[in-house]
Amino acid sequence: MSETRVHGADAKTAHQDLHSDQGALRGEHPGRSRNPVIKVADLAWLEFEKPDLERAKVFALDFGFQIAAHTDSELWLRGTFAGSPCMVIRRGRTSRFIGPAFRAAERPDLDRLARATGSDVRDADVPGGGKAVDLLDPSGFPVRVVHCGEQLPALPEQPPLLLNFGTDHRRANATQRPPREPSRIQRLGHVVLETRVFGRALDWYLDTLGMIVSDFLFLDGQRDRGPTMAFIRCDLGSVPADHHTLAMHLGPGTGYVHSAYQVTDLDSIAVGGEYLKERGYRRSWGVGRHIQGSQLFDYWRDPDRFMLEHFADGDLFSSDVAPGWAPMSTSGLAQWGPPATRDFLGASPSPQRVRDVIQALRGDNEMDPARLLGLLKAATS
C-alpha cells in the first residue's frame, strides 16, 4: 500500500481523505429524525429461507454459530452472548433473504409502533416467546420489530489471546498456539442492504425506528444530489453503540448484500478462516481492517452464495457523534488488506444483474444514468 509521508504535524497518508472526518454542508441530510416513532435497541436476528436445512446447518457450525433450536422446518442459530438468536433459516423452495428483525427497547414500544403504522402486535415465533410488529420498508423488505420473552443464556466464550506489546510483557514461559477450530460467533453485528430508493428507505429507518447515521458516502462530483450510502447505528443515548447496525447503499438491485458477526479477536478471524478454507468454502475478501467502522474483517460465501462476515474490534459511537461525509470509493473500504475483490463488490456480470440495471433505469426510483456511471466509477476508484 503506497503512502505519501510528510514529517511533522502536517503528515498525511494516502487514506486520510477517505475517512469521514468532515461533517455535513449547509442543507445536507442531518442523519437523524427530529421525532422518531420509537428507538430500536439493536438487531435481533435475520430471516432467510433455504431448501436444504442440513447443508445450512453444516455451514453454520463451520462458520461458528451454535444451534439454538432445530425442527424439520426451522433452524435457529445463535452466538455465545446471552440474548436472542442471530438468525432463523426456514425451509423454502428457493434460497432467499426475507428481512431483518430489530429489538425494541421496551414492550410498550411495540404498542406505540403498531398505533403509528396501523399494524398489529402479534405473538413472535421465536424460542422463548415474545411479541412482534411486522412492517414493510420502502424497498419492500419485511421488517420485524420484536420484544422477546426469555433470553438465551450465555455460552462459553473463545477467550482472547494474551498478547505481548513492546515492553508490556503479559505472557512469559508460555507459547501461543490457537487451536484450528471454527471462529466462535458472539453476536450478530450488522446487515447491509442494496436499494433503488435509498433516500426514502433511509428516512423510513430514521423516522420509524429512530436510528441515526454514523457516516454518509457520496458519489464523486454528485455530492449536491445527496448521499448514496449510509452506515446507520442505534440511538442508545450516552451508551456507545456499534458504528453501524444497518448499512444501505443505492444500487440497481434490491436485496441482501452481507451480514456480519462478531468474534473475539484477530486470531479468531484468522484461524476460523483457515478452518473454513480447509473445508472448501470460498473466501470473498479479507483479511483486512475497514475505514468506516474500523472493524477487522473477513468475508465468506456460504453454499447458497450468501455473504457473511467475521469481524472484531469495531467502533462504538454515542448519540452525540454527528455523521461524517466522505466520497464513495473501493479504495476507501479498507485501511489495510488485499484489494476488494470483484466477488465482494458484486462486479461480476450476470444475467440477473443486467436485468436489475435495465429495470432500475426504466423504473420509478433514484437510479438514473448519472447515478449508475457514478457507482461504476466508485467501484474502480
Side-chain angles (χ1 to χ4, degrees):
M1 183 181 299
S2 64
E3 289 189 347
T4 301
R5 296 188 182 277
V6 179
H7 295 291
D10 294 329
K12 295 181 182 296
T13 72
H15 285 288
Q16 183 171 357
D17 293 336
L18 298 177
H19 290 275
S20 293
D21 293 331
Q22 303 301 315
L25 302 177
R26 184 184 297 274
E28 287 186 318
H29 200 297
R32 60 188 68 200
S33 175
R34 291 184 177 180
N35 187 28
V37 178
I38 65 169
K39 293 183 178 182
V40 293
D42 204 353
L43 266 177
W45 61 80
L46 303 177
E47 302 194 6
F48 294 82
E49 283 186 358
K50 296 185 178 185
D52 192 338
L53 292 189
E54 284 304 315
R55 185 174 71 170
K57 179 181 177 181
V58 170
F59 173 80
L61 294 173
D62 287 341
F63 192 74
F65 291 105
Q66 307 292 321
I67 306 301
H70 189 194
T71 69
D72 289 340
S73 59
E74 290 185 345
L75 175 64
W76 287 88
L77 307 175
R78 61 160 299 175
T80 57
F81 284 2
S84 65
C86 295
M87 183 188 298
V88 56
I89 306 172
R90 297 189 173 90
R91 191 181 302 278
R93 288 183 296 178
T94 61
S95 294
R96 65 189 186 107
F97 173 68
I98 303 300
F102 291 88
R103 179 168 61 86
E106 299 177 347
R107 171 62 182 82
D109 285 345
L110 296 185
D111 299 318
R112 187 178 306 111
L113 185 62
R115 287 193 301 269
T117 59
S119 306
D120 297 320
V121 179
R122 64 169 187 82
D123 291 335
D125 179 18
V126 57
K131 296 292 183 180
V133 173
D134 290 331
L135 307 170
L136 198 67
D137 80 0
S139 304
F141 290 114
V143 175
R144 185 165 293 170
V145 181
V146 300
H147 189 267
C148 296
E150 295 182 24
Q151 299 292 299
L152 297 172
L155 297 177
E157 288 290 326
Q158 195 170 35
L161 297 184
L162 192 62
L163 304 179
N164 288 329
F165 297 99
T167 58
D168 182 8
H169 299 155
R170 305 182 184 185
R171 189 185 77 256
N173 300 326
T175 60
Q176 194 98 282
R177 305 289 187 270
R180 188 67 59 88
E181 63 182 6
S183 302
R184 204 169 302 175
I185 301 298
Q186 295 175 327
R187 64 182 180 96
L188 168 63
H190 62 259
V191 63
V192 180
L193 304 175
E194 179 179 336
T195 175
R196 299 172 182 171
V197 290
F198 172 81
R200 298 207 304 267
L202 170 66
D203 288 343
W204 186 87
Y205 282 96
L206 306 191
D207 293 338
T208 309
L209 303 187
M211 305 183 81
I212 56 180
V213 175
S214 298
D215 280 301
F216 281 122
L217 301 184
F218 56 88
L219 294 177
D220 183 39
Q222 299 186 33
R223 182 166 180 170
D224 60 325
R225 297 190 62 184
T228 49
M229 185 165 188
F231 296 88
I232 310 164
R233 69 187 185 275
C234 295
D235 182 356
L236 305 183
S238 62
V239 177
D242 286 335
H243 173 271
H244 56 283
T245 298
L246 168 68
M248 290 191 302
H249 69 80
L250 178 67
T254 297
Y256 169 95
V257 179
H258 75 260
S259 51
Y261 304 86
Q262 181 177 292
V263 298
T264 300
D265 57 15
L266 179 58
D267 278 279
S268 176
I269 292 174
V271 175
E274 291 300 303
Y275 184 90
L276 287 168
K277 185 171 64 175
E278 289 174 352
R279 278 150 184 77
Y281 298 109
R282 179 182 174 187
R283 174 181 272 121
S284 181
W285 182 35
V287 174
R289 185 181 283 277
H290 281 307
I291 291 181
Q292 274 77 36
S294 302
Q295 301 94 340
L296 297 162
F297 66 82
D298 196 17
Y299 293 89
W300 293 84
R301 293 280 186 183
D302 77 1
D304 297 283
R305 290 205 45 79
F306 289 108
M307 192 189 303
L308 293 86
E309 174 189 4
H310 286 141
F311 81 92
D313 190 34
D315 291 339
L316 300 170
F317 287 177
S318 56
S319 64
D320 56 347
V321 177
W325 288 70
M328 194 172 185
S329 68
T330 296
S331 60
L333 292 174
Q335 184 183 22
W336 59 261
T341 64
R342 291 179 62 84
D343 178 72
F344 173 81
L345 296 171
S348 299
S350 68
Q352 181 57 53
R353 200 59 172 168
V354 172
R355 287 193 292 270
D356 286 342
V357 170
I358 294 172
Q359 291 173 3
L361 293 177
R362 290 176 175 175
D364 179 19
N365 55 64
E366 298 168 29
M367 285 296 298
D368 57 36
R371 285 303 211 191
L372 180 60
L373 290 174
L375 290 169
L376 291 174
K377 181 180 178 180
T380 58
S381 62

